[in-house]
Amino acid sequence: TLLPQTAPALGMAMGMLQPMLPQLRTAREQMRALPPAEQEEVAAMMAGELKAVPAAERALFLEAIDAGFFPPAVAAGVKSRLARP
């Protein structure tokens, strides 16, 4: 199995991520507290930035956008904007 070989690398990655978790939680809470118009602005900005990302990377991001970090309105707004030609 791969687990024994990858355990040290996974442990180091988790150790690096741990100090960022409070900041990520704060960012998530702040986005969810935004009024709908500002959430739309966030979605428009994200969609604009994602258009410059290679298609394969953009697809991976879009698969995870509904995972709970982004408010549902932001996720839906990004997806709808990227679906437009």
Side-chain angles (χ1 to χ4, degrees):
T1 66
L2 294 176
L3 185 57
Q5 295 172 357
T6 60
L10 183 59
M12 286 192 317
M14 292 301 287
M16 290 187 309
L17 184 61
Q18 188 175 10
M20 294 174 47
L21 290 177
Q23 295 170 350
L24 291 170
R25 285 186 190 110
T26 299
R28 181 185 65 196
E29 291 167 8
Q30 288 174 345
M31 274 193 290
R32 290 178 182 276
L34 291 173
E38 289 184 32
Q39 288 188 18
E40 279 296 313
E41 288 179 31
V42 171
M45 180 199 62
M46 287 177 60
E49 294 293 325
L50 284 169
K51 287 180 181 179
V53 173
E57 291 178 31
R58 185 171 52 244
L60 287 173
F61 181 82
L62 290 175
E63 284 179 21
I65 198 168
D66 292 317
F69 181 78
F70 296 101
V74 171
V78 169
K79 289 193 278 188
S80 71
R81 282 174 174 79
L82 291 176
R84 298 178 198 156

